[in-house]
Amino acid sequence: DDIEFAELGTGETSSYAVDNNGNVYAFGNEIGGSGTSFGGTPILLSLLNRTVSISGGYALKSDETVWVVPADIKETVVLRKSDLANITELSSSNNHTLALDEDGALWTFGNSDYGQLGDGEKKGRNNARKITEANDNTALPSLKRISAGYRYSLALSKDGKVYAWGLNDKGQVGNENVYSETLKPAQVSTYPNVGSDKIEKIAAGYGHSVTSKVDGYVWSFGWNNYSQLGNEDTDDSYVP
């Protein structure tokens, strides 16, 4: 029978497809012809089941637990990331990972050379830590979406506000403090007073951010060398 896929995911040099039954198929990661890579044809990772999604090197299962994805076909066990539970969404990029739990709380781990973990430091860590404080020292609100970009991060609160932190060399954090790092989640408060004030979707890229409001209009900011902001020029934009 034909396999129907429900979700797709990527690692640094590999790709993954999750079918409707929660099985994971992997391909890529072929380095130097070692014979242990996934290869160019998708293969079933039998060690993973009941999978909902994959981002970076981590898999989210239907029981809201997070597991390390096998790096090659020789691995015989998969390890659970035991410091995460009740997780509903994962997002990884450039070796840092964001996790959202069922209460809307943010958890982060991985590299943080530009403050992309949002804990106020530029120090990486393997253990997941709950992020509770925003950049203005107020409580971080309950979130509904997360997106990890290249050395920076985005989050969307349940009341439709965008928060950004980490590297801001191109304006991707949505404020005019360019060439500095934002070490804690900071609300992007620079949206023009046009149309709805609630954001519905977010996406973090290499150096630019794309968001859409509930009225359907798209607002973007950050690096624009290749016109990726969609605003008919190639100038970077430090605000939406």
Side-chain angles (χ1 to χ4, degrees):
D1 295 337
D2 292 335
I3 300 173
E4 294 186 359
F5 293 102
E7 291 290 338
L8 300 173
T10 59
E12 185 174 353
T13 59
S14 55
S15 301
Y16 307 95
V18 182
D19 71 17
N20 287 333
N21 296 315
N23 300 309
V24 177
Y25 293 80
F27 46 103
N29 202 32
E30 188 151 13
I31 301 174
S34 64
T36 63
S37 66
F38 302 136
T41 302
I43 63 169
L44 175 66
L45 297 183
S46 58
L47 296 175
L48 287 175
N49 52 41
R50 297 180 291 111
T51 302
V52 175
S53 65
I54 289 183
S55 186
Y58 298 92
L60 176 62
K61 289 193 174 187
S62 58
D63 61 0
E64 300 184 342
T65 58
V66 176
W67 296 73
V68 180
V69 177
D72 58 49
I73 60 176
K74 278 192 171 182
E75 294 196 20
T76 59
V77 296
V78 290
L79 300 177
R80 178 183 172 186
K81 189 154 180 51
S82 59
D83 53 3
L84 287 173
N86 303 318
I87 300 301
T88 59
E89 185 176 346
L90 281 177
S91 183
S92 298
S93 177
N94 192 240
N95 296 320
H96 83 283
T97 300
L98 314 178
L100 188 64
D101 72 21
E102 61 185 12
D103 295 321
L106 173 68
W107 299 76
T108 67
F109 60 95
N111 286 357
S112 194
D113 44 354
Y114 293 90
Q116 57 263 48
L117 295 188
D119 57 7
E121 302 181 9
K122 293 195 288 184
K123 182 187 298 184
R125 48 182 165 76
N126 293 323
N127 62 300
R129 182 182 300 173
K130 186 177 181 180
I131 306 302
T132 60
E133 192 173 77
N135 196 53
D136 59 0
N137 297 320
T138 61
L140 185 66
S142 182
L143 305 176
K144 65 178 182 179
R145 293 284 185 274
I146 50 176
S147 184
Y150 180 73
R151 294 177 172 174
Y152 81 106
S153 304
L154 292 180
L156 178 62
S157 67
K158 290 183 178 178
D159 61 354
K161 307 298 183 185
V162 177
Y163 287 78
W165 61 98
L167 180 64
N168 194 37
D169 62 331
K170 300 294 185 180
Q172 59 266 53
V173 172
N175 62 54
E176 296 180 308
N177 297 321
V178 186
Y179 305 112
S180 63
E181 294 90 31
T182 300
L183 303 184
K184 293 182 180 180
Q187 183 181 338
V188 180
S189 57
T190 50
Y191 282 91
N193 187 23
V194 177
S196 173
D197 62 350
K198 289 187 177 181
I199 304 298
E200 184 176 40
K201 296 179 181 178
I202 57 172
Y206 183 83
H208 74 292
S209 302
V210 180
T211 65
S212 64
K213 291 187 176 183
V214 295
D215 57 16
Y217 285 96
V218 174
W219 296 84
S220 56
F221 44 97
W223 190 34
N224 197 35
N225 196 50
Y226 300 97
S227 297
Q228 56 265 52
L229 298 187
N231 57 5
E232 300 183 340
D233 62 39
T234 57
D235 296 330
D236 296 346
S237 179
Y238 304 147
V239 298

